[in-house]
Amino acid sequence: MPPKEKVESTEQVLQAVILADSFDERFQPITLETARCLLPLCNVPLISYTFEFLAVAGVQEVFVFCCSHSDKVKAFVKNYEKTSNMKINTIVSQELMSVGDAMRELDAKQLIDTDFILVTGDVVSNMKLDQVLEEHRARRQADKSAIMTMVLKKASPQHRSRSVGDGSLFVLDQGSKECLHYQPVKAFKSTREDRRMTMNMEIFDKHPEVQIRNDLIDCQVDICSVEVPALFTENFDYQDIRADFVHGILTSDLLGKTIHFHEVTDVYAARVRSTQMYDAVSKDIISRWTFPMVPDSNLQVGDCYEYRRGLVYKEKSVVLSRTCVVEEKVVIGANTQIAERAVLSNCVIGKNCIIGANVKIDNAYIWDNVEIKDNCVVQHSIIANNAVLEQGVTINKGCLISFKVTVGANTTVPAYSRLTALAEGEEDDSDAELISDPAVVGATGRGRSFTEAEGSDDEDEEEDPKNKQVNMLAFDMSELLLAAREQENSASDFESEASDLEEDQISPEEELDREVAATLDPLELNTLRMATFSNFLEMRKRVIPGVLKHIDPVAKPGSGKTAKEILSRWGPLVGKMIHDVDDQIDGAHVLHRACASLFQDVAQAQKVFAPALRYFYDEDILEEDAILEWYHSKRSQQGTDTEKKLREVATPMIQYLEQSDSDESDEDDDEEEDDEDSE
């Protein structure tokens, strides 16, 4: 009876290991007070999504490894297990510093006796693992050296669930499903060596056909054999599961082990590994890409969300004023009150919150028990439990407001601020006393700015700090492309003849020149584009306005700020992103709109647009046909009054081009007539 034999061969208990700690500091100061796996994602603790994913996969026993805030994790797991069919064990070790330490602890305790699923506690996925488990088991039966199967998801370069700046490059054999080489890809590289892929050429002896892929999302879901923890024990330098373990196995001639992959397409899988990914995954949940893991599935006991038109999810006990406005993509938790004329859009509001009159919340995440009083504005930020915003507070984009922070009335919190109500050093000394900073939280506020302790960075010391910035909530890549660096060690990124200058002798303008000059290298420009998953259209939209911003229409020659001087210095950067006629036409439209929006005075806008258009034509960045196509398009004839007046400025140039084209046509006709006469 073949079916029965198959069941018996897979009768073993399916086990999974969850690494609850992230071993990084991307969510600080919030994670100084709670575990990252317990952060609410659309009002549901993050690890709940991981548990649900494993339950659907048929997992029967789970081991949760945790270190920081272990008491809170244990309490949550104990409560969750009451309503789960899985047996969940919490393993606490206060000495865990990395994934490698957790795997060595797992090996020491001898908890695993069969192949197991290894995931992090921040995975959100709706995929089923039946096929990958079957493939892995069959492969193991045929070849005991196949110790791991990684789950990879194909996704476009612009896919929202791809982590900006944290990419991966895989060399794969599609025939055998074997991973031959792995290399992490960062958006910004510290050295030229980091920009190169170094691979053993002997790979091609056994694998004549390989694929080099950077279009795959690493789901951080692995099917591992019992040998994997033991290999971590044998190699104490293995810390990271990918950069150390996978790379080490694939480059070792002595271990003789292989790692395979399973590629998925029509499923959702992502890690909430940064605040940028927190934002992206939240939006995907609200947009129902993660179905059935959506708010109205009510994953938590006691939740009662209703799904309404416009991707709005609201619990029954919510109190809405008649004049408040709830726009699209909004989640509102139980017992929350929304006052008159408040406007909510693209946001998540937790339970027991009080939102005052005339409050505007856009692209923000408000957790439980938060009070936001009248006339406040919150943009693209996270506000943790029990925080209070007094009247007239403005929270600019990218802010993290931690637990119990109070921001005083009429205070504006600058973009990307991180505020905490913990006293400095309180995480180490419970007797430390909070000294609030009125300059940050206002005269009646409670809290201070949070700065990472020196040397606390979890990343490589030599890594470019911009890689952390691009993973921040609401961060815009254009703010880095042409911005002068603030870090004292920024000069180390550029191998130029000016590198011998002392740091204090380098002006921001000179640092800016270096960065743009470095980006003019086609290899670096393409690396930047691919690492940030941007296409040339998006790059043009960012870089052209960024270049124009540095032009001063009233500057005098020799100042370095005239249109001619700026374009001569940075104009070639635009040319690197234009490859065909369609690109040229789009570039002209971007130039047209950017000049109109950046310079409110029409006269100043004209002083920039006319020479810029002429420069791009003279340097063959925009060819004659593309400029004419732009000028005569309906798109260029529409728009604001400033855009229409800028188009008029281009009329003499257009007439010149059309006249030149006409003269050339006449000359060609004359030459043809002469040829006919000579015949």
Side-chain angles (χ1 to χ4, degrees), residues 353-418:
C353 294
I354 299 176
I355 310 298
N358 300 306
V359 168
K360 294 183 179 180
I361 301 176
D362 180 46
N363 271 305
Y365 303 93
I366 314 299
W367 296 355
D368 295 347
N369 304 303
V370 172
E371 183 177 2
I372 302 179
K373 298 186 178 180
D374 299 349
N375 303 309
C376 290
V377 176
V378 183
Q379 300 175 346
H380 221 155
S381 297
I382 296 175
I383 301 181
N385 299 24
N386 300 299
V388 177
L389 305 186
E390 300 288 353
Q391 292 190 6
V393 169
T394 297
I395 307 292
N396 285 304
K397 68 176 184 177
C399 293
L400 297 187
I401 311 298
S402 193
F403 300 93
K404 299 181 180 179
V405 169
T406 298
V407 181
N410 303 312
T411 301
T412 297
V413 179
Y416 310 115
S417 297
R418 298 192 175 207

Side-chain angles (χ1 to χ4, degrees), residues 448-506:
R448 63 179 179 87
S449 288
F450 171 79
T451 54
E452 292 181 0
E454 187 175 350
S456 66
D457 191 357
D458 55 285
E459 304 290 349
D460 189 338
E461 291 181 0
E462 296 182 356
E463 184 179 336
D464 194 316
K466 290 190 294 186
N467 286 314
K468 292 186 68 176
Q469 290 178 289
V470 296
N471 278 294
M472 292 167 57
L473 177 67
F475 201 87
D476 188 347
M477 277 295 298
S478 64
E479 298 182 33
L480 285 178
L481 289 175
L482 294 177
R485 294 192 173 185
E486 297 179 357
Q487 289 78 13
E488 293 181 355
N489 63 347
S490 61
S492 63
D493 297 325
F494 309 107
E495 298 175 6
S496 65
E497 59 185 3
S499 62
D500 293 330
L501 293 175
E502 294 295 328
E503 283 294 326
D504 55 1
Q505 295 177 327
I506 300 174

Side-chain angles (χ1 to χ4, degrees), residues 543-598:
V543 175
I544 291 176
V547 171
L548 298 179
K549 284 179 182 177
H550 297 278
I551 297 177
D552 184 354
V554 298
K556 296 181 180 179
S559 64
K561 296 182 179 181
T562 65
K564 181 178 180 180
E565 291 167 330
I566 294 294
L567 291 171
S568 297
R569 188 185 312 163
W570 294 336
L573 178 64
V574 179
K576 301 294 183 182
M577 291 170 288
I578 292 179
H579 302 89
D580 55 29
V581 175
D582 290 337
D583 287 352
Q584 294 177 34
I585 296 171
D586 177 72
H589 282 296
V590 173
L591 175 66
H592 183 200
R593 180 165 295 181
C595 286
S597 61
L598 290 173

Side-chain angles (χ1 to χ4, degrees), residues 433-661:
E433 183 178 349
L434 172 66
I435 301 176
S436 296
D437 185 355
V440 175
V441 296
T444 59
R446 180 179 182 274
R448 63 179 179 87
S449 288
F450 171 79
T451 54
E452 292 181 0
E454 187 175 350
S456 66
D457 191 357
D458 55 285
E459 304 290 349
D460 189 338
E461 291 181 0
E462 296 182 356
E463 184 179 336
D464 194 316
K466 290 190 294 186
N467 286 314
K468 292 186 68 176
Q469 290 178 289
V470 296
N471 278 294
M472 292 167 57
L473 177 67
F475 201 87
D476 188 347
M477 277 295 298
S478 64
E479 298 182 33
L480 285 178
L481 289 175
L482 294 177
R485 294 192 173 185
E486 297 179 357
Q487 289 78 13
E488 293 181 355
N489 63 347
S490 61
S492 63
D493 297 325
F494 309 107
E495 298 175 6
S496 65
E497 59 185 3
S499 62
D500 293 330
L501 293 175
E502 294 295 328
E503 283 294 326
D504 55 1
Q505 295 177 327
I506 300 174
S507 67
E509 291 78 12
E510 288 173 319
E511 288 189 302
L512 183 57
D513 290 346
R514 286 185 180 187
E515 183 159 351
V516 176
T519 312
L520 289 178
D521 183 337
L523 177 61
E524 291 197 27
L525 184 63
N526 280 318
T527 301
L528 176 62
R529 179 180 61 83
M530 290 187 292
T532 57
F533 312 118
S534 299
N535 55 31
F536 286 111
L537 172 62
E538 292 174 332
M539 295 290 284
R540 286 193 295 272
K541 288 181 178 179
R542 287 177 168 86
V543 175
I544 291 176
V547 171
L548 298 179
K549 284 179 182 177
H550 297 278
I551 297 177
D552 184 354
V554 298
K556 296 181 180 179
S559 64
K561 296 182 179 181
T562 65
K564 181 178 180 180
E565 291 167 330
I566 294 294
L567 291 171
S568 297
R569 188 185 312 163
W570 294 336
L573 178 64
V574 179
K576 301 294 183 182
M577 291 170 288
I578 292 179
H579 302 89
D580 55 29
V581 175
D582 290 337
D583 287 352
Q584 294 177 34
I585 296 171
D586 177 72
H589 282 296
V590 173
L591 175 66
H592 183 200
R593 180 165 295 181
C595 286
S597 61
L598 290 173
F599 304 97
Q600 296 181 351
D601 184 82
V602 176
Q604 291 187 354
Q606 291 172 337
K607 290 181 180 180
V608 173
F609 180 67
L613 188 63
R614 185 72 194 190
Y615 170 83
F616 288 141
Y617 172 70
D618 291 340
E619 296 299 319
D620 294 326
I621 296 173
L622 302 181
E623 296 179 356
E624 177 181 325
D625 291 343
I627 295 176
L628 293 175
E629 180 73 22
W630 158 77
Y631 183 82
H632 292 296
S633 68
K634 291 183 179 179
R635 182 179 169 188
S636 72
Q637 297 174 32
Q638 299 170 350
T640 64
D641 292 339
T642 303
E643 290 176 10
K644 293 176 181 178
K645 291 180 180 179
L646 290 182
R647 183 176 176 276
E648 294 175 2
V649 172
T651 301
M653 181 178 177
I654 298 300
Q655 293 173 344
Y656 166 77
L657 295 177
E658 290 177 336
Q659 182 62 40
S660 298
D661 189 45

